[in-house]
């Protein structure tokens, strides 16, 4: 299939999936930290969270990827000798890609989570307090389960954008399916065939995620009456 | 680590040229994207399944694949076909600027069409009933009532799309164009100063984003103030 490049591209698909899933895991952690900062009553912490969300969302992903990849490598090689490490360090594109995409989409997710937390009626937390729950119990037993339901539509959107953004990591040399397709296209001089094949793979990934997350949304919305229009 | 301002100061003309390229790409792709999005948005609210499905398929495929793949398909991909290389379109299709604009316009048209369709579907029933009661034809109803009302209400979402497009234009640097990101990549390649080069580019984009947000706030104040909560 695909002039013998089918297997090579499938290898790239696996790498793309690894990249997307790992960066999403990191983004969820950073997003939760971000939203905790932004909703914190301590003013400078809230400012810090807002700064993270605003600056990252105002700069193109590609610029951030280039900055973190080349800048990070530069920084690493300036700091490493001070710690007694003399060899030149090459940043692993997969690790750098996960770090970069996780950092970028953490900012987007903190916005999604913030909207979801703020959409929970105040009475919910107050009712928890009235039952004598501690604030941690209120957070994990009352707020988080409802936040998950409210955050799923925004999360779905963030996940789809992240999946598509993984293609940009090929620019800094990660051998994901986009990179492999470019190689195959250059070797066979049939760029259209290979880029179309890769486009189809991305479409499969986004379609499957869309179906899966819609199913999840239904599960989390059991017992919630939808507006009947 | 000391920030090297001299290099950035000397490269400033390069960045300003890049700024112009970015603005040109943004304006052209938004213009043609919007022109294509209007009929597509109308198709997306059509009651005829064939018409609706055709527009749905278009927006689904475009929104489900990365911009980079779409750009490569047009810039590198089309050259695979002899017919394209010998056609009268080839002088355009071999130009990186044209291909980038085309790819960006196609991409934004799909997202904008969905925004317009969503806004049309959210039209209050009373507006439609009133138009019908006045005896307006379908065409007149769309021209005088539905579209002006829906396009205004689409403004907040469209402002997000415009900012996303600003960020998307940075991909033009991958197909050799010198936009703001392209300028930063050139500076980094020459002096190997990644922090200085890319942070400068980031500042340019942040400023552009804030200006765009500002402009759309003003536009919303001008055209959407009738929907704002009443102040007592």
């Amino acid at each position: 299939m695909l002039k013998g490049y089918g297997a090579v591209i499938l290898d790239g698909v696996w790498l793309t999936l690894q990249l997307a899933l790992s960066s999403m895991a990191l983004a969820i952690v950073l997003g939760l930290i971000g939203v905790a900062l932004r909703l914190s009553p301590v003013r400078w912490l809230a400012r810090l969270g807002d700064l993270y969300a605003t600056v990252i969302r105002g700069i193109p992903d590609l610029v951030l990827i280039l900055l973190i990849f080349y800048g990070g490598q530069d920084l690493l090689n300036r700091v490493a000798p001070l710690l007694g490490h003399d060899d030149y360090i090459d940043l692993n594109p997969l690790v750098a890609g996960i770090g970069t995409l996780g950092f970028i989409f953490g900012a987007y997710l903190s916005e999604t989570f913030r909207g979801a937390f703020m959409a929970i009626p105040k009475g919910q937390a107050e009712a928890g307090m009235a039952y004598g729950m501690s604030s941690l119990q209120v957070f994990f037993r009352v707020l988080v389960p409802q936040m998950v339901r409210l955050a799923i539509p925004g999360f779905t959107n963030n996940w789809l954008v992240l999946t598509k953004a993984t293609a940009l990591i090929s620019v800094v040399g990660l051998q994901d399916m986009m990179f492999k397709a470019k190689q195959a296209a250059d070797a066979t001089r049939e760029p259209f065939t290979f880029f179309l094949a890769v486009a189809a793979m991305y479409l499969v990934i986004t379609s499957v995620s869309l179906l899966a997350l819609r199913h999840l949304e239904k599960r989390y919305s059991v017992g919630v009456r939808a507006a009947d229009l | 680590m000391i920030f090297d301002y001299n290099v950035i100061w000397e490269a400033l003309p390069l960045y300003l040229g890049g700024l112009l390229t970015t603005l040109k790409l943004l304006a052209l792709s938004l213009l043609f994207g919007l022109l294509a999005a209007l009929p597509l948005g109308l198709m997306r609210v059509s009651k005829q399944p064939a018409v609706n499905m055709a527009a749905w398929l278009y927006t689904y495929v475009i929104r489900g694949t990365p911009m980079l793949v779409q750009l490569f398909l047009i810039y590198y991909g089309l050259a695979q076909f002899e017919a394209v290389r010998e056609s009268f379109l080839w002088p355009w299709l071999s130009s990186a600027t044209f291909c980038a604009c085309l790819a960006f316009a196609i991409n934004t048209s799909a997202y904008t069409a969905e925004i317009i369709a969503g806004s049309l579907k959210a039209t209050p029933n009373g507006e439609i009933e009133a138009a019908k009661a006045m005896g307006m034809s379908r065409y007149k109803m769309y021209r005088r009532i539905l579209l002006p009302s829906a396009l205004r209400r689409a403004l907040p979402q469209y402002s997000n799309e415009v900012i996303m497009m600003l960020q998307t234009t940075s991909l033009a640097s991958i197909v050799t164009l010198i936009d703001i990101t392209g300028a930063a990549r050139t500076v980094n390649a020459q002096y190997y100063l990644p922090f200085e080069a890319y942070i400068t580019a980031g500042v340019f984009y942040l400023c552009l984003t804030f200006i765009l947000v500002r402009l759309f706030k003003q536009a919303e104040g001008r055209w959407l103030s009738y929907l704002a909560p009443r102040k007592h």
Side-chain angles (χ1 to χ4, degrees), chain A residues 134-145:
Chain A
S134 71
S135 42
L136 266 184
Q137 280 178 321
V138 168
F139 186 75
F140 283 108
R141 291 194 189 166
V142 181
L143 296 183
V144 169

Side-chain angles (χ1 to χ4, degrees), chain A residues 57-60 62-63 66-67 70-71 74 78 164 167-168 171 178 182 190-193 195 199 202 206-207, chain B residues 1 60 63-66 68-69 72-73 76-77 80-81 111 167 170-171 174 181 185 192 194-195 198 205 209:
Chain A
R57 292 187 306 144
I59 297 177
L62 180 62
V63 175
L66 293 168
L67 172 68
Y70 293 116
D74 190 38
R78 286 195 211 186
K164 290 181 279 171
L168 293 179
V171 175
M178 194 67 205
K182 183 94 172 55
E190 289 188 10
F192 198 85
T193 319
F195 291 134
Y202 277 109
T206 46
S207 303
Chain B
M1 188 175 44
Y60 186 77
R63 299 193 308 155
T65 51
L68 187 64
V69 180
F72 278 11
L73 266 174
Y76 296 115
Q80 179 178 330
F81 305 106
Y111 286 92
Q167 304 202 358
S170 67
L171 296 195
I174 299 174
T181 312
R185 296 180 85 171
Y192 196 66
F195 280 102
Y198 293 120
Y205 282 109
T209 306

Side-chain angles (χ1 to χ4, degrees), chain B residues 139-168:
Chain B
Y139 173 72
K140 195 178 243 178
M141 187 168 81
Y142 266 97
R143 188 165 58 87
R144 286 207 184 154
I145 309 292
L146 284 174
L147 281 174
S149 158
L151 291 180
R152 281 163 189 241
R153 279 178 288 112
L155 215 52
Q157 268 183 297
Y158 188 63
S159 76
N160 278 338
E161 170 59 18
V162 169
I163 288 163
M164 287 311 286
M165 269 323 280
L166 167 67
Q167 304 202 358
T168 302

Side-chain angles (χ1 to χ4, degrees), chain B residues 45 115-125 127-128 146 149-150 153:
Chain B
V45 294
I115 294 175
I116 292 176
S119 190
L120 276 170
K121 279 184 205 155
T123 306
N125 252 324
E127 290 185 22
I128 302 169
L146 284 174
S149 158
R153 279 178 288 112

